[in-house]
Amino acid sequence: MAMSINKRLSWRQSVEKVMSRLVQKSPSLCTDLPLDNSDICTKLYLLRQLLKSCFGPTGRLKQVHNNIGGHVITTSSSSVLLPAISSSQSFINLIKTSILNHVSRFSDCGLFAAILCLSLIEQAKQSGLSFSVAIKLNKHLLGLCTGYLQQEDCGCKVKLDFCSSHNLITLARSIISSKPACVLTESEALHISKLAVHAFLLTVPCNRPGEVRLGKAVTVSVEGHPVLNSAVFPGLLVDAPDVSGIDESENMRSNPLRVVLFSASLAGDLSELGDGIFDVHPGVDTDLQILDRLLELVKQVVEDEVKLFVCQKVIHPVVQQHLKSRGVIVIERLGNPLMETLTQLTGAQPVATLHTTIPAKAYGEVRDLSIIHFGSRTMLQLHPPGESSICTMILCHRNETMLGELKVAFQKTEHVLRLTLREPSALLGGGCTETHLAAYVRHKSIQEVPETLSALGCSQAELLLGAGGFCRSLESVAAALEHDGGNSLMDLTHAHHWTHPADVMREHLDESLGFCGCGLMEGSPEQRRAYLNTNYPQFSPAPLSRDTAVQPRVLDSFAAKFNALQVAVETANLALDVRYLVQDIN
Amino acid sequence: MCAVQSVGMLPVEHLHLEHVLQTVCVLESVVCRSFGPEGGQVLFTQDTGQAMLSRSGARILTALRLEHPLARMVVECVLKHSTETGDGSKTFIILMASLLRIIHTTACREPHVSRTHTSKAAAETASARHLADKMLAFASEELDDLIAAAVVPYGCCLSWEELSAKSQAHSNNPCVQNLLASFFQSRVGPTHCDLMSNLTCELLTNWKFKNDSPSSSLHFIRDNLAALHTPVSGFPISFSRLVEGQVIHRDFAAPCPRADLQPVKAVVLTGYLQPKLLRAGEVLELGRGEQSEERNIMDFSAWGERSLECVLANLQSLGVSVLLSAVKQSAAVLALATQAEMSIVECVSEDELSLFQRLSGATPVRDCRVIEPEHVATLTFCRPILLGAHRYVHVAFHDTEEKITVKPCSLVLCGLGEGQTDQFACALKDAMRMLLSTWDPIGITAAPFKQCVLEPGCVLPAGGTFELLLNNALLQHGSSCSISDHTNKGVPAVSQLLAKALLSVPRQIYYHSPRRLLQTQTRLLSLTKNHLSIAHNKILTQSHREDGTLTEPCRGEVLMSGSGLESVSCKSQVLLAALQCVSSLLRVDAVLRTHTALHTQSHRRTNISWAGTEDEAED
């Protein structure tokens, strides 16, 4: 902005003066040009440092606890961390909400998006470009990235093959190991990753014609057991505190078992009475009349040879007793979320009428029932009659905090695996995608023809300045994976990401070659590498010749990262576009 | 009692010209941040903590929650103007500030010299008031003709038949899409304006009611926008798209209908399917149920269920498989409907149901005992659609009479957050308003018998062209008047002041590149000189009116290259509205602050008129 500081100051004073005169209650807080405000800039910087320190498998954990002594959460995941950061500054909240919206759609790459977005804002400020030019350039460079990522021959993309679970497990493990607050050992992480892929595959229906409807993986968490005890069960596990007498009942032996599902309350109340007044004759007990009707209803159910009686709400104790005495297994208070899963599993239609004869087609079936004891919990496993896409995952961990984080990580993994059905590819992890993209953008922007420049309305120098900032932002995300003082580098042929530990001296560098971030490349002494965020010569990053024997060790979700990249750039652009803040503090 | 004394009980704030000017200048400084090509967003945090992003002048000013009556008066005028034309609220404020500044300087230089004024300030204020009234009178009288003679010839007429440039053979011709692109540039920013204008054009093309005037489509979209769009946050804006049919913003309460079922029959319910046993105030006598007149409670409950079964059996016989309900139905309804293989969508909003009725042609069921074939809508499909975090119901309509002319479609509006999707939806609604006032220009002249001289759809290149052309015309008009008519000395001065005030808009647009302002100015000047030398263009305008499209090389074309477009009618309305607002602002001379009814004494005072305070305030 070409406004001089003096002019701006006097202008602000006059605004404040008139605002306070205009607004009687309490004046709205106005901030002109928020990115020139030192308070906001400090907050943005702090937020970036905080989020950077959490990034990746070796990220540092954060403990979140509130001021009223509530319980402490240990986490490094953006979906838990960002909601905990509440800022009075609406500018910060704008960025936060945008990232959280991405996380709630894609479950992954939240920290990536946040760090990239904050870096882009900082780079745009440092570049000295006018914000409207920076916005246009960012959009153009984003277009280069998304165009490249969608190409068939994109050098950082891997096609996922559903014939082998190898890449799926790699993808799952990358997500689970990027959540260090789960505190898993290598083998534990692998175990959970395999279970996640197993559960995911169970929810995909196999031989069903027409529209494919995915099933559901229900998670049950059990505290105090070793992680390796976690397991996946086909079918549905429901809590059954009272299983005494189930085994003895010979009814269990008739397979399959008939099931009835009630969605209305069977506690003896009537819901659709209206607001009128009842004038009850003396000596008449309406409760008893309702109970009589319930018992009659149950009689029909028993006559129809139902063996499993499930109710979403409460069942009257007398009715329960009656059913149990006839050898029927009763499950009450199932709750709404499990009702839909159970209708899917059994094929039953929920019943909510007390007077209508229950039609035969409303009954469902389970093939088999078994009792599972897991620690202190006793559960009934309901096996579907035919092929079904319902499974239950039991997650175990030593304590509540870690279990909480593990559950979050597992659900995210499940979501990300589902996203691969729509877009069966993955991106190279470990920072290699970021460095590769940065090298690509740098190379492309140098070759930009004058026509593009005039369409953008900027000069070659401005484009180079903008592209430099954009690439540095991408590289800084890759560099943020390193937390132990090591150096981040990029090789100058394929532009993969390499890290050198801090304690390695320059002369010993050749010995610490190892593998690149994603594990596809092995170091060799001839390789030329450059430190990230330095002025290395631009080059066109060559795709690796695919040796099928070498598989990537770290993979990121394509769908999530693709969206995160766009959300990060658009959020940065939005933030750069905000010229004035007004905060109603009434 | 003495009037001065009694008024003295109330805090009185005398308003001077400077106060008015200061207030409007502060408003100007806020809206300027989002004005012109370098303008950006204003981010608001409401007291609820909700964030709102905006570039729209009207929204920015409303969100400031100004308390001062003067400022509120200005905001009200802006709102009134922007609900009519959907555009120009920032220009409104800039013009107002500029008018007031000019009035201020002129009034201070030559205040009405009169002995009746006690102070210099009062004299200035009176002089300013006089000047403002004269400017308004001049504008109401002459502006229409001036614009028609000196601005419209440089403009072009948009064709409604071809909305976007894609379908046009001559891609250089201006089209609705260009006009929309410029509008969205000022509302959602340069990075997303193309996307939004493409989407809007597509929407308009699909909703084009054939054999009907364009304004009917615009009215329809403006009035039904809430039901016609679905905001989805967490995705980049480029994911926004149109989907066929209607999206009902609710999920299926009972399982989704079978995908293979086609066509789908649906009914709209406005009430409960299961009758309530007792309405409020009714009394039900309950007995043992042994004698015939004494009923058991279960008999009543059974009666309720039986009547529900009858209704569902009736629906089944009509082949209905989807129920759209305005209210939440009972668990029994859900269960019985599931058993009858019907799906239910509950709590559908009134707007969406009325849109559904209009598109399907079916009437809603008021009394569930009487359901006839006329209540049944035929749909090509009815399936769930996952948009962001929500699963909604997606329906498409079977061929009806209306379907032949329109292709019903809905807009899925993606954005980073709610603030952004809101902003886009508001901009879209205002775009409809802007197009409406472009197509049905209201004559700005006060005289009722005078016909509107603006032709529908007249546009000019954006970037201050209107103001510069009009400025030129006003200056010429002023000089010609002063030569021909020596008796009326006021008029030339007024037109020159108005001309000067207009320049503030292009100055603000090119604030960051004064060089470009000069270039534009020179280009326009040379153009108008050429215009004068060439014979009058009436013949040209005539031929262009006849075939409706722009075939003759009109002067407008020289200007049209490159830049965006803006509507002449919107521009002229802004000017007049700003003048009206200025003149009414300057008529106020004091603010009285009355007490609220909480105060015992002032209780009576609130009931009496302003004039009455003089006599009654003492007790």
Side-chain angles (χ1 to χ4, degrees), chain B residues 242-294:
Chain B
L242 292 183
V243 290
E244 186 199 349
Q246 188 189 352
V247 176
I248 294 169
H249 300 110
R250 290 281 160 190
D251 193 7
F252 290 102
C256 326
R258 294 209 327 261
D260 52 335
L261 200 70
Q262 266 171 352
V264 183
K265 304 225 171 186
V267 290
V268 172
L269 307 169
T270 51
Y272 298 101
L273 270 189
Q274 186 174 16
K276 292 266 180 213
L277 276 186
L278 280 180
R279 280 188 292 267
E282 288 177 337
V283 179
L284 181 64
E285 207 172 310
L286 290 179
R288 280 174 211 279
E290 280 136 18
Q291 292 112 355
S292 57
E293 63 268 24
E294 272 185 16

Side-chain angles (χ1 to χ4, degrees), chain B residues 46 90 105 142 177 184-185 200 207 234 256 276 323 385 442 465 480 489 506 568 577:
Chain B
Q46 285 151 359
K90 283 170 284 187
T105 16
E142 308 273 347
Q177 198 176 14
F184 283 120
Q185 173 148 19
T200 314
W207 281 110
C256 326
K276 292 266 180 213
L323 308 175
I385 181 171
I442 314 154
T465 320
S480 69
K489 277 182 186 168
V568 173

Side-chain angles (χ1 to χ4, degrees), chain B residues 269-336:
Chain B
L269 307 169
T270 51
Y272 298 101
L273 270 189
Q274 186 174 16
K276 292 266 180 213
L277 276 186
L278 280 180
R279 280 188 292 267
E282 288 177 337
V283 179
L284 181 64
E285 207 172 310
L286 290 179
R288 280 174 211 279
E290 280 136 18
Q291 292 112 355
S292 57
E293 63 268 24
E294 272 185 16
R295 294 287 189 154
N296 181 324
I297 186 164
M298 291 323 280
D299 296 336
F300 291 101
S301 137
W303 165 79
E305 275 182 21
R306 265 200 306 279
S307 65
L308 177 60
E309 273 178 277
C310 288
V311 174
L312 285 172
N314 184 22
L315 285 170
Q316 232 172 344
S317 71
L318 287 166
V320 172
S321 59
V322 175
L323 308 175
L324 298 176
S325 163
V327 294
K328 188 161 171 54
Q329 302 287 351
S330 66
V333 172
L334 289 188
L336 284 178

Side-chain angles (χ1 to χ4, degrees), chain A residues 11 22 32 90 101 105 139 273 277 279 281 289 354-356 361 563 570 577 579-580 582 584, chain B residues 29 33 38 41 43 45 55 65 67-68 191 233 236-237 278 282 284-286 301 305 339 416:
Chain A
W11 175 81
L22 295 179
D32 186 31
S90 56
N101 281 335
R105 300 291 159 274
K139 198 197 172 198
L273 288 178
I277 301 157
D279 179 9
H281 284 205
Q289 287 172 348
L354 302 183
H355 304 276
T356 330
K361 64 174 182 178
N563 197 69
E570 284 195 2
D577 204 19
R579 302 290 150 88
Y580 201 80
V582 179
D584 190 338
Chain B
S29 64
R33 287 280 173 237
E38 290 283 317
Q41 316 262 5
L43 172 66
T45 320
R55 274 178 199 253
R65 290 184 172 231
E67 275 291 310
H68 195 279
T191 39
S233 45
I237 295 121
L278 280 180
E282 288 177 337
L284 181 64
E285 207 172 310
L286 290 179
S301 137
E305 275 182 21
Q339 285 167 20
L416 301 171

